Amino acid sequence: MKLPYTNIYDVLKLNRYVTITVTVTALLSSVFSGVMVLNMYKKAMDSTFAVNTDGSVIPLKLVSQKENLQVEALSHLALFHKYFYGINDSNYESNLEKALWLGNSTVDNVYRQKKADGVYNRILQYSLVQKVLNVESQVDLSAEPYRFKTVTTFEVNRGSVIDRYELISTGSLITVDRNYPRNTHGLLITDYFERSLKKIYDKE
């Protein structure tokens, strides 16, 4: 007569195989999930915010940082020069504050020198309007810090007289954390220097 417990070893062996199979399957699933999460994380870290056609940053739209670095750098420089040099008696304080967020102490030094020279006092005293007409920059993106050269054309409206000037400035750009809305491109101007300023005369 065959008793029920005669196959207990077969049952234990089967249970062992089932346990091993479930354990290995769970382990493989965990490893696969971990690899997938790691790949997604790396892709996310290699991406940044999208830049619109007007140079503004669009949050939550991830794109390749390298493809947009030039666009962001040029937009950052254009924004800085428009804030720093496009001033009048009603907006100069707010514009200069915005500009100072886009550069380091070298920009602040230029600002302080202009203030000491009475540039802003003359704007207030004579109600001058300084308007930026064009900003053209060249940026070397081969290595950080990224060297740049910017040619800014602006005019000074003195009421009956309008004078036009060309300013050449140089410096470097470094990457920093984005700060909304103060520094949306995550770049900072360093080593800023006003290399030359000349008056543009109309050709007769």
Side-chain angles (χ1 to χ4, degrees), residues 73-74 76-82 85 131-139 147-155 164-171 189 192-200:
L74 295 177
H76 186 87
L77 292 170
L79 194 64
F80 166 76
H81 286 84
K82 288 177 180 177
Y85 299 100
K131 180 181 179 181
V132 174
L133 303 176
N134 189 47
V135 179
E136 292 186 4
S137 298
Q138 295 177 342
V139 186
R147 296 291 301 171
F148 72 84
K149 176 183 177 182
T150 300
V151 178
T152 304
T153 305
F154 65 92
E155 65 181 20
R164 188 170 295 184
Y165 298 89
E166 179 185 88
L167 170 72
I168 297 178
S169 56
T170 58
I189 296 173
Y192 187 68
F193 181 67
E194 293 182 340
R195 192 160 296 278
S196 66
L197 176 67
K198 67 178 182 179
K199 187 175 181 179
I200 302 175

Side-chain angles (χ1 to χ4, degrees), residues 79-175:
L79 194 64
F80 166 76
H81 286 84
K82 288 177 180 177
Y83 280 145
F84 201 65
Y85 299 100
I87 54 179
N88 54 55
D89 58 351
S90 62
N91 72 2
Y92 85 98
E93 288 185 335
S94 62
N95 275 16
L96 290 175
E97 181 181 0
K98 293 174 183 177
L100 291 175
W101 276 99
L102 306 179
N104 70 350
S105 58
T106 57
V107 172
D108 185 64
N109 291 339
V110 175
Y111 159 72
R112 292 179 183 276
Q113 184 61 50
K114 288 178 177 294
K115 187 175 182 180
D117 293 341
V119 172
Y120 307 122
N121 284 337
R122 286 194 293 272
I123 289 177
L124 292 175
Q125 183 177 357
Y126 300 106
S127 298
L128 304 181
V129 177
Q130 193 166 288
K131 180 181 179 181
V132 174
L133 303 176
N134 189 47
V135 179
E136 292 186 4
S137 298
Q138 295 177 342
V139 186
D140 181 6
L141 300 177
S142 58
E144 189 175 355
Y146 312 116
R147 296 291 301 171
F148 72 84
K149 176 183 177 182
T150 300
V151 178
T152 304
T153 305
F154 65 92
E155 65 181 20
V156 179
N157 189 328
R158 296 180 170 85
S160 58
V161 179
I162 298 178
D163 294 323
R164 188 170 295 184
Y165 298 89
E166 179 185 88
L167 170 72
I168 297 178
S169 56
T170 58
S172 301
L173 289 172
I174 60 173
T175 55

